[in-house]
Amino acid sequence: MEMGSEVRNKQVILKNYVTGMPKESDMAVTTHNTITLKLPESSNSVIVKNLYLSCDPYMRGRMRKPDSPSFVGSFVPGSPLSGYGVGKVVVSGHPNFKEGDLVLAWGTTGWEEYSVIAAPETLLKIQSTDVPLSYYTGILGMPGMTAYAGFYEVCTPQKGERVFVSAASGAVGQLVGQFAKLLGCYVVGSAGSKEKVDLLKNKFGFDEGFNYKEEPNFEAALKRYFPEGIDIYFDNVGGKMLDAVLLNMRIHGRIAVCGMISQYNLDQPEGVHNLVNIVGRRVRMQGFLAGDYLHLYPKYLQMVFPYIKEGKVVYVEDVSEGIESAPAALLGLFTGRNVGKKVVLVARE
Amino acid sequence: MEMGSEVRNKQVILKNYVTGMPKESDMAVTTHNTITLKLPESSNSVIVKNLYLSCDPYMRGRMRKPDSPSFVGSFVPGSPLSGYGVGKVVVSGHPNFKEGDLVLAWGTTGWEEYSVIAAPETLLKIQSTDVPLSYYTGILGMPGMTAYAGFYEVCTPQKGERVFVSAASGAVGQLVGQFAKLLGCYVVGSAGSKEKVDLLKNKFGFDEGFNYKEEPNFEAALKRYFPEGIDIYFDNVGGKMLDAVLLNMRIHGRIAVCGMISQYNLDQPEGVHNLVNIVGRRVRMQGFLAGDYLHLYPKYLQMVFPYIKEGKVVYVEDVSEGIESAPAALLGLFTGRNVGKKVVLVARE
């Protein structure tokens, strides 16, 4: 590939704002776009070739009309989606980056083959490449920081505490459970299939796991696994599971609210009825975003790299190949089709 | 009154466990009971003559069947209610107390004219009597500590922050608003009548107040008073107001959940639909009880006594006279009949 050449640039476009469950037809993969791999003389930007694009549940909020209550900017209909990804710098107008650098785009790369990054300061340069590159969209990226900050900073866990994680085999949940086990907690996870529950117990080392789709009564299921109650709930799903958890929290328990994926595609969110229990039980519920804890990222990498290398923490990914697969990959998050962290392989190098 | 004499001891009895809105007929005031003002030789107990009995919303939870999810023990049908109160020691078997001592019973005195206190260590001796004695059921008692701990410890307030208080003219709310004003916050309260809203603005110094019963749309009302959103919500009511607040919270806002009086008399609590907003806005919701902060009580008194004496904090009470009035006084909390802290004067000395 020659500097200055014009190349194909397939893009995943949002066609319209979405209400309810998003469909593949809400997006389109365009094949006619091209990009010239050249920047104007004075430009500070870089052009990145996208290698991996991350599928993250928060992206559902960006498919809404901008007047809806969402704190992340909406995508622009007719333009590519954007998000987290791993790429390689192919043209650089910025002194910190040179051709060939591998970078993690922290929410700022396009769902396309090549992206012009107008604010390269937001890119994190990837130093260690003795792990799968895709990990930088998962365990070494935003989901990893979400699990780390959410568990250690928000949940303020103690050895021996009883921890419940929902969506426990997902990009974040699988890490929370493993971190909690390493700390010496009792850990139970919920997930949406037998295969995922097997992962929890046999791969991630959870003490117990259950398939919520086979539990007619979440409250009873939780009582079964937590006869003495829950100290920490790492909430990825909200809704009915949260309601059942509120009936099972222990005094001075903590609920880290990472996301509420069960609610994202509903026109009217479900009601949570058991909130009053947080008073007598003195429960703290804390919503959080990994972005508030970015100053801890180096500390997190320092902790997690040895864990990865020693096999103390494992990470399961679910990779779709080709940018054409991206719309289905993203939607699969909302039907639970993914097993582990969902990522799209756009190009191998 | 002679030591050892038998005296009348009217009692307020719970007749049955209560579901839904409690009625006066759920209680009875007995007039036939007597008590002998004498303790066995070996007893460590004290007998207290109750002067003031405190009416507190949490007592509704104690009228439930004990298997209901409530973290305070249920009352026993056929026996007197119990709670916070101010009394005078008339017989003492405990070395720390002598006849004539004034005491604050921290949740442990009966709704009756005389109570035997089996664990006198739970009584706080009243030292300063240059304020109304009834204050020890309010600003100088549990509601005061609730406002103090809830505002300063749970809400972690900063000067200039925007504070919303519901049930703002009540035993706790009126103090939270005044504490927030003294710290330099912008403070708005909601209450259930014009008279109460006038109190907020003209007596307690709130910046604004509104009558929630005249607001068809709580969300719009809050947007009117908080065009830039709410930093701190001191929640005494739960339900629909909490739901509207969740749409108006600022990033990194805090919600101290003191109580949810709007829900206590419902068979099925209302659903809260807007919880998902705590994620993007990184809101902390914290349930709490004053009892966890009792170690701060001396510090609180040190702060609040000068405020009272200098007129920087005022306290509005709503006093019913006579133990016969106690059932109606208690029930009035749930219909908003009280204006300020509700207390029953049982005896003047």
Side-chain angles (χ1 to χ4, degrees):
Chain A
M1 186 175 53
E2 203 184 326
M3 169 83 168
S5 62
E6 188 176 0
V7 296
R8 185 195 66 192
N9 191 22
K10 289 189 190 174
Q11 297 185 315
V12 181
I13 302 290
L14 182 72
K15 285 160 73 179
N16 302 293
Y17 291 125
V18 176
T19 56
M21 180 64 80
K23 304 173 297 298
E24 278 200 53
S25 59
D26 293 322
M27 291 171 271
V29 182
T30 68
T31 54
H32 58 274
N33 298 69
T34 62
I35 184 172
T36 302
L37 299 180
K38 192 173 179 193
L39 290 165
E41 279 289 325
S42 61
S43 171
N44 263 328
S45 300
V46 306
I47 302 179
V48 156
K49 181 179 186 188
N50 290 307
L51 306 179
Y52 289 98
L53 293 174
S54 181
C55 299
D56 295 300
Y58 85 95
M59 297 172 74
R60 176 62 185 83
R62 306 187 64 188
M63 295 178 150
R64 292 216 172 90
K65 260 202 203 153
D67 60 324
S68 305
S70 171
F71 265 70
V72 282
S74 288
F75 298 132
V76 179
S79 295
L81 284 68
S82 60
Y84 293 79
V86 170
K88 191 172 70 175
V89 173
V90 291
V91 184
S92 176
H94 194 282
N96 292 359
F97 297 93
K98 62 178 196 305
E99 203 181 319
D101 279 352
L102 292 167
V103 291
L104 163 55
W106 198 266
T108 54
T109 203
W111 274 36
E112 55 197 351
E113 294 181 281
Y114 295 89
S115 294
V116 178
I117 308 290
E121 314 76 44
T122 63
L123 298 173
L124 302 175
K125 214 182 291 191
I126 290 174
Q127 312 286 359
S128 305
T129 55
D130 52 350
V131 290
L133 257 189
S134 54
Y135 274 19
Y136 287 92
T137 67
I139 184 171
L140 299 176
M142 183 271 282
M145 269 307 292
T146 301
Y148 177 70
F151 182 63
Y152 292 104
E153 300 291 317
V154 178
C155 294
T156 57
Q158 300 287 320
K159 182 177 173 173
E161 287 195 310
R162 301 151 186 88
V163 176
F164 176 55
V165 187
S166 54
S169 69
V172 175
Q174 59 177 295
L175 292 174
V176 172
Q178 292 179 83
F179 294 161
K181 281 308 300 175
L182 285 166
L183 187 66
C185 296
Y186 167 78
V187 184
V188 179
S190 63
S193 73
K194 184 178 178 308
E195 178 190 8
K196 293 179 185 179
V197 171
D198 286 347
L199 272 182
L200 298 184
K201 293 199 278 193
N202 302 325
K203 183 139 187 121
F204 303 134
F206 284 55
D207 294 286
E208 298 284 351
F210 65 90
N211 179 352
Y212 73 91
K213 290 180 182 167
E214 291 185 349
E215 295 291 345
N217 181 333
F218 292 169
E219 188 193 346
L222 292 171
K223 281 214 192 319
R224 204 162 68 230
Y225 293 109
F226 295 97
E228 297 173 85
I230 298 167
D231 292 298
I232 289 175
Y233 174 41
F234 196 99
D235 187 9
N236 290 307
V237 304
K240 290 187 176 65
M241 189 62 85
L242 174 57
D243 233 349
V245 166
L246 287 165
L247 297 174
N248 282 283
M249 288 300 288
R250 287 167 63 83
I251 288 178
H252 293 130
R254 287 132 276 149
I255 300 177
V257 187
C258 176
M260 294 192 170
I261 198 170
S262 73
Q263 306 298 299
Y264 295 167
N265 301 308
L266 305 177
D267 288 339
Q268 285 295 325
E270 291 175 300
V272 172
H273 294 80
N274 299 321
L275 264 182
V276 71
N277 290 279
I278 75 173
V279 182
R281 303 179 196 211
R282 293 90 108 185
V283 169
R284 169 162 59 80
M285 279 184 79
Q286 170 89 57
F288 74 100
L289 294 179
D292 288 341
Y293 299 89
L294 266 187
H295 57 285
L296 299 177
Y297 186 55
K299 195 177 153 203
Y300 170 60
L301 291 183
Q302 224 167 15
M303 178 193 91
V304 83
F305 263 117
Y307 280 162
I308 294 172
K309 285 172 186 167
E310 296 159 19
K312 286 188 179 159
V313 170
V314 296
Y315 200 61
V316 170
E317 298 180 312
D318 183 334
V319 183
S320 295
E321 291 218 17
I323 195 164
E324 294 79 4
S325 71
L330 178 60
L331 300 186
L333 294 179
F334 303 108
T335 54
R337 210 157 51 207
N338 59 308
V339 177
K341 164 64 192 170
K342 188 71 206 176
V343 58
V344 177
L345 166 62
V346 181
R348 284 212 154 69
E349 61 174 343
Chain B
M1 186 176 52
E2 205 183 325
M3 169 82 166
S5 60
E6 187 176 356
V7 296
R8 185 195 66 192
N9 190 21
K10 289 188 189 174
Q11 297 184 315
V12 181
I13 303 290
L14 181 72
K15 285 160 72 179
N16 302 294
Y17 292 125
V18 177
T19 56
M21 180 63 82
K23 306 173 296 298
E24 278 199 53
S25 58
D26 293 322
M27 291 171 270
V29 182
T30 68
T31 54
H32 58 273
N33 297 69
T34 61
I35 183 172
T36 302
L37 300 180
K38 194 174 176 192
L39 291 165
E41 278 289 325
S42 61
S43 172
N44 262 327
S45 300
V46 306
I47 302 178
V48 156
K49 181 180 186 186
N50 290 307
L51 306 179
Y52 290 97
L53 293 174
S54 181
C55 298
D56 295 300
Y58 86 96
M59 297 172 74
R60 176 62 185 84
R62 305 188 64 186
M63 295 177 151
R64 292 215 172 92
K65 259 201 203 154
D67 60 324
S68 307
S70 171
F71 266 70
V72 283
S74 288
F75 298 133
V76 179
S79 295
L81 283 68
S82 60
Y84 293 79
V86 170
K88 192 171 69 175
V89 173
V90 290
V91 183
S92 177
H94 195 283
N96 292 358
F97 297 95
K98 62 177 197 305
E99 203 182 319
D101 279 352
L102 293 167
V103 291
L104 162 55
W106 198 266
T108 55
T109 202
W111 274 37
E112 55 198 350
E113 293 180 281
Y114 294 90
S115 293
V116 178
I117 308 290
E121 313 76 45
T122 63
L123 298 173
L124 302 175
K125 215 183 288 192
I126 291 174
Q127 312 287 358
S128 303
T129 55
D130 52 350
V131 290
L133 256 190
S134 54
Y135 274 19
Y136 287 92
T137 68
I139 183 170
L140 299 176
M142 184 273 281
M145 269 306 293
T146 301
Y148 178 71
F151 183 61
Y152 292 103
E153 301 290 318
V154 179
C155 294
T156 55
Q158 301 287 320
K159 182 176 175 176
E161 287 195 311
R162 301 150 183 88
V163 177
F164 176 54
V165 187
S166 55
S169 69
V172 175
Q174 59 176 297
L175 293 174
V176 172
Q178 292 180 82
F179 294 161
K181 283 307 299 174
L182 284 166
L183 187 67
C185 296
Y186 167 77
V187 185
V188 179
S190 63
S193 72
K194 184 177 178 309
E195 178 191 8
K196 293 178 185 181
V197 172
D198 287 346
L199 272 181
L200 298 184
K201 294 200 277 192
N202 302 324
K203 183 138 188 124
F204 303 133
F206 284 54
D207 294 287
E208 297 285 352
F210 65 89
N211 178 352
Y212 73 90
K213 291 181 180 166
E214 292 185 348
E215 296 290 345
N217 181 335
F218 292 169
E219 189 192 346
L222 291 171
K223 280 214 191 321
R224 203 162 68 229
Y225 293 110
F226 295 97
E228 298 174 84
I230 298 167
D231 292 297
I232 289 174
Y233 174 40
F234 195 99
D235 187 9
N236 289 306
V237 304
K240 290 188 176 64
M241 188 63 85
L242 173 57
D243 233 350
V245 165
L246 287 165
L247 296 174
N248 283 281
M249 287 300 288
R250 287 167 64 83
I251 288 178
H252 294 130
R254 286 133 276 150
I255 301 178
V257 187
C258 176
M260 294 192 169
I261 198 170
S262 74
Q263 306 297 300
Y264 294 167
N265 301 308
L266 304 178
D267 288 338
Q268 285 295 324
E270 292 176 298
V272 172
H273 294 80
N274 298 320
L275 265 181
V276 71
N277 290 278
I278 75 172
V279 183
R281 305 178 194 211
R282 293 91 106 186
V283 170
R284 171 162 57 82
M285 279 185 81
Q286 170 89 57
F288 74 100
L289 294 178
D292 287 341
Y293 299 90
L294 266 186
H295 56 286
L296 299 177
Y297 186 56
K299 194 177 153 203
Y300 170 60
L301 292 183
Q302 224 168 17
M303 178 194 91
V304 81
F305 263 117
Y307 281 162
I308 295 173
K309 285 174 185 163
E310 295 158 20
K312 285 187 179 160
V313 170
V314 296
Y315 200 62
V316 170
E317 297 180 311
D318 183 334
V319 183
S320 293
E321 291 218 16
I323 195 164
E324 294 79 4
S325 70
L330 179 59
L331 300 187
L333 294 178
F334 303 107
T335 53
R337 209 158 52 210
N338 59 308
V339 177
K341 165 64 193 170
K342 188 70 205 176
V343 58
V344 176
L345 167 61
V346 181
R348 285 212 154 68
E349 62 173 344

